[in-house]
Amino acid sequence: ELKVEQNPLFLSMQEGKNYTIYCNYSTTSDRLYWYRQDPGKSLESLFVLLSNGAVKQEGRLMASLDTKARLSTLHITAAVHDLSATYFCAVDILSTYGGTSYGKLTFGQGTILTVHP
Amino acid sequence: DTGVSQNPRHKITKRGQNVTFRCDPISEHNRLYWYRQTLGQGPEFLTYFQNEAQLEKSRLLSDRFSAERPKGSFSTLEIQRTEQGDSAMYLCASSLSSGGAKADTQYFGPGTRLTVL
């Protein structure tokens, strides 16, 4: 059974500081996603990582993937209050039915990020 | 904005009652997923539709749960004889199959929060 573990689960940061969220998964994956969720809201797609060594950046967030270590990281640079949210990584394992391949996501527990002034 | 929509957004019901939720995916998306999210956890996969065919059901989906996607457009999720343990956020996601190794990002709706009293 695929397991996806994030750490830390809770992260309290000061504005302007840097930090990294880690996502470990237990089996070979086809794709890895990072999502953001604000309280009471749905999930917003941040990054899709498709291959070993993939790195993607958007604003103050940068995600990377090491498939050999089964590890993805989400690095936050110079945090601002607007980044406060819950961040989930999700691993996509392709399944096949009748010749059709499709993905289903297995999520980590989420990291609750709070950025303080 | 023609994102994924879900109705109702909130549902409070008494134990033993039946409830039905609706999901309208992004119009050109042929893939539709249902997930369940309980407080403090990441979403868990429930079921997947490719067009109108239900190709996979999680073990989480007991006999009291049924999902349909007539004509490959909107989908409904029905829970019969609700139990307090069914209280959760029910999320719908859709994606467009792109084939090969391309990303197949799932876009999530706002969710239906179910409370069973």
Side-chain angles (χ1 to χ4, degrees):
Chain A
E1 180 186 343
L2 171 61
K3 293 191 187 305
V4 181
E5 294 185 345
Q6 289 181 234
N7 74 85
L9 299 184
F10 300 93
L11 180 53
S12 181
M13 296 177 63
Q14 274 192 308
E15 281 189 331
K17 298 292 186 182
N18 304 333
Y19 210 85
T20 301
I21 299 171
Y22 297 89
C23 173
N24 290 274
Y25 52 97
S26 60
T27 190
T28 304
S29 166
D30 298 289
R31 293 179 285 232
L32 190 138
Y33 299 78
W34 284 94
Y35 284 88
R36 168 182 171 146
Q37 187 176 38
D38 291 294
K41 301 290 181 63
S42 190
L43 288 91
E44 173 191 355
S45 176
L46 295 174
F47 301 108
V48 180
L49 303 169
L50 299 178
S51 59
N52 188 42
V55 177
K56 292 205 173 170
Q57 182 162 7
E58 180 73 33
R60 300 176 189 274
L61 300 177
M62 183 173 71
S64 66
L65 179 62
D66 181 343
T67 57
K68 293 180 181 177
R70 297 177 184 166
L71 171 68
S72 179
T73 61
L74 180 67
H75 187 72
I76 303 154
T77 302
V80 293
H81 179 70
D82 286 351
L83 290 179
S84 297
T86 300
Y87 293 84
F88 290 97
C89 65
V91 172
D92 191 356
I93 302 292
L94 283 182
S95 301
T96 303
Y97 182 95
T100 298
S101 294
Y102 61 93
K104 61 182 181 183
L105 298 178
T106 299
F107 284 82
Q109 314 96 304
T111 297
I112 300 175
L113 172 64
T114 305
V115 181
H116 299 285
Chain B
D1 184 355
T2 55
V4 179
S5 62
Q6 293 186 244
N7 287 289
R9 297 290 308 276
H10 303 273
K11 179 70 177 178
I12 300 174
T13 190
K14 292 182 179 179
R15 186 163 50 98
Q17 298 294 304
N18 300 343
V19 295
T20 300
F21 311 141
R22 176 177 170 129
C23 170
D24 287 272
I26 294 172
S27 59
E28 67 269 24
H29 284 186
N30 56 345
R31 296 181 167 181
L32 189 146
Y33 306 78
W34 284 97
Y35 291 84
R36 182 172 69 187
Q37 185 178 22
T38 53
L39 202 60
Q41 300 296 317
E44 295 174 291
F45 171 81
L46 292 180
T47 190
Y48 163 69
F49 288 87
Q50 174 91 7
N51 299 309
E52 67 277 5
Q54 187 175 21
L55 298 191
E56 186 168 347
K57 291 167 57 173
S58 162
R59 287 172 295 175
L60 294 174
L61 221 60
S62 75
D63 291 344
R64 297 184 296 105
F65 289 71
S66 62
E68 294 182 341
R69 193 183 182 197
K71 303 179 183 177
S73 55
F74 71 91
S75 175
T76 58
L77 177 68
E78 181 184 14
I79 309 174
Q80 296 183 326
R81 304 182 302 282
T82 53
E83 301 173 355
Q84 288 184 325
D86 297 332
S87 296
M89 176 80 88
Y90 290 84
L91 294 164
C92 174
S94 71
S95 69
L96 179 66
S97 60
S98 53
K102 288 188 177 179
D104 184 9
T105 300
Q106 295 181 28
Y107 295 90
F108 283 80
T112 295
R113 182 168 295 283
L114 172 66
T115 302
V116 182
L117 303 176

